[in-house]
Amino acid sequence: MINSLLIANRGEIACRVIRTARALGIRTIAVYSDADAKALHVRQADEAVHIGPSPARESYLVGEKIIAAAKATGSQAIHPGYGFLSENADFAQAVLDAGLVWVGPRPDSIRAMGLKDAAKARMIAAGVPVTPGYLGEDQSPGRLQAEADAIGYPVLIKAVAGGGGKGMRRVDAHADFADALASCQREAASSFGDDRVLLEKYILSPRHIEVQVFGDTQGNVVHLFERDCSLQRRHQKVIEEAPAPGMDEETRQAICAAAVRAAQAVDYVGAGTIEFIADASEGLRADRIWFMEMNTRLQVEHPVTEEITGQDLVEWQLRVASGEPLPKTQEELSINGWAMEARLYAEDPAKGFLPSVGRLDLLDLPDAVLRVETGVEQRDSVTPFYDPMIAKLVAAGEDRTDAMMTLATGLFGLRVWPVRTNASFLLACLNDAEFRSGNATTGLIAARGDALTESGSPGESEWKTAALALFAPYFAAGEASGASPWAAAFGFRVNASPGPRITIQHLNERREMVLEACVDASGFVAPVDSGVLAYRDAQPFLFTLPAFSGGQAQAGDGAILAPMPGRVTAVEVSAGEAVAKGQRLVTLEAMKMEHGLTAPFDGTIAELNAEPGAQVSEGTLLVRVEKVE
């Protein structure tokens, strides 16, 4: 068995690997950038090495620094996690050339599956069904147009070297093909340095089904059944589950056998995922499920497979990398129960899923109900440098309904502040009738539009619950002094109805609340420094006493507020300047994305508080535009 392991990753996956390694008695070494100097994975590891500045391209993506850290600490092996360098064949080879153990597939296997066209050709040769399409070398626009016409619309243009939804375009008609091809090629060249594309038949009722496979150095390959990852937003997975709903045993055997053949075709060692697309217009059928691609690494959603099989896939990885045979044979593996995983992100669905960064002053994750995989703790910060995942929330149950209800219960109990999360969006997805039925396709979220992201306003119940919580300190003070809590008579008004009353505020709205009217309130609240949070459907509403509300709600029309914490990268106006409606005023950068803030109407710049390079918090008044009368 490996005795020391460097994890070439960060966040929740680094913490996940550390947990299993420690259970196996393996010494763990973390790496970290400037931004992660106090990160949870650094605190949990036996040793940690600083590898550079905060941007990943200067730290986590520099293979030479990681290998140097492994050598300096006497590490025997390197585990790449997922993302970053996990599917980089050159890095895998460099690790091996340095005399270290690579916890992953052979570099040749990574290369074989790295280019989509070559991978599909190899799958065809192995008898694995692939989506109808064009994989040819002739990349001339005329040939590609002719092939698309022959396949039949809609078709999907995909970058050969693509991934993560980049370099991908759906085309619905002959007339739209040329422009979509040119756009796709430009994006592919920019993102991957390779503008080659392939064509696929676009499936109108698509479900994303993937199979977990595992191989060892003795030539054994097994599958650990399937996962359904159909609930996606812009090609990014939102909720995953195992097994796939509606999968009968005959279809399961067919797709899993195809996945094993795919892994065997590239002499696969370690953990991998074979991804399939299914035409679910008539349910899941073996003759309507086709190979898409292979991920040559551990997946974000691997915990749902662990939950239904009772296996620790990280332990499997470490044992296989140590030269041991697979811990189980195919006959010894079975499905037991159901599992679902939701990805909790630091983002605001009500604002177009803008990332939300900052310190986690309140972080109460429902680990009593769910399996929680996270790389942060309360008082840690979500930075703008990396993926904004806060945690993976994993629910297990006897059946799908049980797992779904458990996940919903966990989301109801979630408490995060002031960083915004997608918890209410996740709950809305769980409550969607099509998702509950088990028939969700990859287009469900897009089809629902704003219905899953509407933030709404607090109702009477939330106002009453918050008021009752804000009353509490006054009563506590009265009881501590021995006086009657009614004696303080706070909020007293001449000629007003009897009973204590208090004025509370949510955003711009203020209400005077009477205690007697609130005593029947029931709901969840969480105290924070500025007031209390009242929750409805996993969404927090901040209520304050007016004295503590600050100035952020006073801005009114013409005030341009920072929609999220970030850095001002450009100020394109000056005080007193006349501006037109829609004119860009300030550019804000957060999570590697730029967001232009524009004038809401014609006017003049009455106030300018933004400076290039300044870090600002959410709600900061950057510019005030005075309307032209």
Side-chain angles (χ1 to χ4, degrees), residues 8-93:
N9 219 295
R10 62 175 302 280
E12 54 90 15
I13 181 57
C15 294
R16 167 72 187 89
V17 174
I18 288 170
R19 184 173 72 243
T20 290
R22 178 171 293 145
L24 295 173
I26 299 172
R27 182 171 68 95
T28 57
I29 298 93
V31 292
Y32 65 92
S33 67
D34 290 347
D36 281 341
K38 297 181 180 179
L40 182 60
H41 74 278
V42 173
R43 303 196 297 269
Q44 288 186 345
D46 296 309
E47 192 173 347
V49 179
H50 177 248
I51 55 170
S54 300
R57 65 181 179 277
E58 300 176 45
S59 50
Y60 295 107
L61 290 174
V62 184
E64 295 84 355
K65 290 184 177 181
I66 291 170
I67 292 173
K71 288 185 173 181
T73 56
S75 301
Q76 185 183 1
I78 290 180
H79 191 304
Y82 45 74
F84 291 147
L85 296 171
S86 62
E87 293 184 278
N88 187 309
D90 292 339
F91 176 64
Q93 188 62 57

Side-chain angles (χ1 to χ4, degrees), residues 146-487:
E147 292 291 344
D149 293 345
I151 294 167
Y153 297 93
V155 299
L156 193 63
I157 307 173
K158 296 175 70 173
V160 165
K166 292 183 179 179
M168 186 182 299
R169 298 290 187 278
R170 171 182 169 174
V171 185
D172 292 312
H174 170 95
D176 301 329
F177 185 83
D179 288 345
L181 173 63
S183 174
C184 185
Q185 289 174 326
R186 284 193 302 270
E187 184 172 280
S190 174
S191 299
F192 313 113
D194 186 343
D195 68 354
R196 292 176 300 151
V197 300
L198 57 84
L199 306 178
E200 287 180 354
K201 176 67 177 174
Y202 187 87
I203 310 302
L204 291 174
S205 297
R207 282 178 59 182
H208 182 126
I209 309 293
E210 59 188 36
V211 177
Q212 178 72 59
V213 294
F214 233 104
D216 63 22
T217 55
Q218 284 78 41
N220 303 304
V221 178
V222 300
H223 68 79
L224 289 93
F225 309 102
E226 81 281 355
R227 300 185 287 255
D228 190 313
C229 306
S230 299
L231 196 69
Q232 301 179 6
R233 176 183 167 271
R234 296 182 179 177
H235 304 291
Q236 300 296 314
K237 298 167 187 175
V238 175
I239 295 177
E240 305 103 343
E241 58 184 303
M247 178 76 76
D248 62 47
E249 194 55 38
E250 180 182 356
T251 304
R252 173 173 293 119
Q253 289 180 9
I255 188 175
C256 290
V260 169
R261 291 197 301 275
Q264 290 170 332
V266 292
D267 194 21
Y268 200 76
V269 172
T273 302
I274 311 297
E275 300 197 355
F276 295 87
I277 188 168
D279 177 356
S281 56
E282 298 180 16
L284 294 178
R285 289 173 33 179
D287 61 347
R288 293 193 180 184
I289 301 177
W290 301 285
F291 171 87
M292 284 197 301
E293 61 187 8
M294 182 177 191
N295 288 308
T296 52
R297 54 174 167 79
L298 196 66
Q299 292 276 90
V300 177
E301 58 272 22
H302 76 272
V304 294
T305 295
E306 293 183 324
E307 291 298 320
I308 66 165
T309 61
Q311 305 302 309
D312 183 329
L313 298 189
V314 175
E315 179 179 344
W316 278 44
Q317 284 187 299
L318 296 173
R319 292 194 179 281
V320 165
S322 300
E324 298 181 18
L326 293 174
K328 297 281 185 180
T329 65
Q330 191 67 70
E331 293 71 24
E332 293 174 315
L333 294 166
S334 61
I335 295 174
N336 182 22
W338 210 284
M340 282 189 181
E341 174 182 297
R343 303 186 186 197
L344 182 71
Y345 281 107
E347 60 188 13
D348 191 343
K351 295 182 178 178
F353 291 89
L354 285 175
S356 180
V357 299
R359 191 173 116 137
L360 294 159
D361 292 335
L362 174 63
L363 180 65
D364 187 3
L365 299 175
D367 53 8
V369 179
L370 306 176
R371 169 178 168 178
V372 175
E373 299 285 352
T374 184
V376 291
E377 292 181 320
Q378 189 161 291
R379 292 181 294 278
D380 287 347
S381 292
V382 177
T383 75
F385 298 104
Y386 314 114
D387 183 278
M389 182 186 287
I390 294 176
K392 299 185 307 194
L393 308 176
V394 187
E398 293 184 1
D399 54 30
R400 187 171 189 265
T401 299
D402 190 16
M404 194 160 34
M405 293 298 294
T406 300
L407 182 55
T409 299
L411 288 167
F412 270 114
L414 190 71
R415 303 289 179 264
V416 183
W417 190 262
V419 170
R420 303 298 198 271
T421 78
N422 64 336
S424 60
F425 167 70
L426 294 171
L427 192 60
C429 289
L430 284 177
N431 286 333
D432 183 87
E434 190 172 349
F435 180 81
R436 290 200 309 270
S437 72
N439 296 318
T441 68
T442 58
L444 184 150
I445 290 175
R448 294 292 184 266
D450 296 334
L452 298 173
T453 59
E454 292 175 348
S455 59
S457 301
E460 287 298 318
S461 177
E462 287 75 49
W463 279 95
K464 289 180 178 181
T465 300
L468 203 61
L470 289 168
F471 269 112
Y474 292 95
F475 283 91
E479 291 173 351
S481 66
S484 165
W486 303 100

Side-chain angles (χ1 to χ4, degrees), residues 129-164:
V130 302
T131 313
Y134 173 70
L135 310 173
E137 291 295 324
D138 186 348
Q139 293 281 301
S140 65
R143 177 62 183 274
L144 292 168
Q145 175 83 70
E147 292 291 344
D149 293 345
I151 294 167
Y153 297 93
V155 299
L156 193 63
I157 307 173
K158 296 175 70 173
V160 165

